[in-house]
Amino acid sequence: LVKFVEAYHDQGIEIEAITPQNEPLQNEDSYPTSLMLPEQESELIQQSLGPRLEASGLNCKIWCFDHNWADHYYPEHILNNTAAATYVAGTAFHLYEGFPQAMTNLHDKYPEKEVHFSEGSEFEMRGAHQLVNIFRNWASTYNAWVTLLDTTMQPNAGPFHPTSTMLELDVNSGELIKRFEYYMTGQFSKFVRKGALRVESSTIGNTTLTTGSSPPPPDSLVHVAFMNADSSDIEGNNQKTIVLVVVNLSPNEQPIAIQWNELQSSNDII
């Protein structure tokens, strides 16, 4: 793993973070997996990966776990081991089992450690709602998986049949097709800058659900807000910017009123 980071560094590419093992609790004969129990990952980080990565002098973080919300006992075991935790910057999560609330639970126990969402794709309006849940539950990142396949859903090594991706390559024309999820994700990525801080946003009226453990009311407006860390807005003007992403889960337009300090704005959201 350290040689991997060094090889990219030698080509001028800096790796932000690595995890010791993708989905360490997977142990399937039909799928390329490698079972690694939390005791084993903790030992690997403490005795080998952590010291070697530190000795390399490379500015690359270690995120532990890299698996489902439901199994948050796994990173807790590692972070409870002080000797291993000293090398661990944060925890990476997937969405295939469990709920986003697990990230908040982990953050509350280890507030000095980062929380990241490292694998999973969300679709349609329910996906936009889930992205809001992910960020409201302390995730610093969202990595969509997978972002591009062709129109025959290839390449895919299995064993699972893939869903449509946000980008698709037409095998006949070579055209790149941008699906709804491409634009939905863009409502976050176009406006929220790297290094932004999530700021508290609250609702009067319909309650914004933050746990993701049950569906929200069908007429809800769910939302998440950020303050960009740089000193310029989208047009390059020299000022701090607040970004508010609002998701309308109703099929109808709804009125929305926004208040920030002394500033107010009212409009209809589609």
Side-chain angles (χ1 to χ4, degrees), residues 193 232-237:
R193 303 302 193 206
S232 63
D233 62 14
I234 302 302
E235 287 75 30
N237 299 313

Side-chain angles (χ1 to χ4, degrees), residues 53-170:
L53 192 58
E54 184 176 72
S56 73
L58 296 170
N59 187 25
C60 178
K61 300 176 181 178
I62 296 175
W63 298 343
C64 69
F65 191 38
D66 210 9
H67 212 166
N68 291 324
W69 289 320
D71 299 311
H72 52 85
Y73 73 88
Y74 192 114
E76 289 181 15
H77 178 90
I78 295 171
L79 297 178
N80 280 334
N81 179 350
T82 305
T86 188
Y87 297 109
V88 175
T91 301
F93 283 101
H94 299 184
L95 53 65
Y96 307 111
E97 293 179 1
F99 303 104
Q101 179 67 35
M103 296 186 292
T104 289
N105 295 341
L106 190 72
H107 170 267
D108 290 347
K109 292 181 179 180
Y110 312 96
E112 75 283 2
K113 299 297 185 181
E114 302 169 7
V115 177
H116 296 272
F117 180 84
S118 59
E119 182 185 315
S121 288
E122 291 292 354
F123 303 94
E124 303 175 343
M125 292 304 294
R126 63 177 174 81
H129 170 235
Q130 187 73 308
L131 258 68
V132 168
N133 278 329
I134 287 170
F135 286 119
R136 288 185 72 96
N137 281 280
W138 292 97
S140 296
T141 54
Y142 167 76
N143 288 348
W145 177 266
V146 176
T147 56
L148 173 63
L149 293 174
D150 66 27
T151 47
T152 66
M153 297 293 97
Q154 294 298 321
N156 176 41
F160 307 108
H161 182 74
T163 53
S164 296
T165 49
M166 69 168 66
L167 296 171
E168 290 184 5
L169 183 66
D170 191 306

Side-chain angles (χ1 to χ4, degrees), residues 190-203:
K190 182 178 180 179
F191 303 103
V192 181
R193 303 302 193 206
K194 182 177 180 179
L197 296 176
R198 182 177 67 83
V199 295
E200 180 61 26
S201 57
S202 57
T203 299

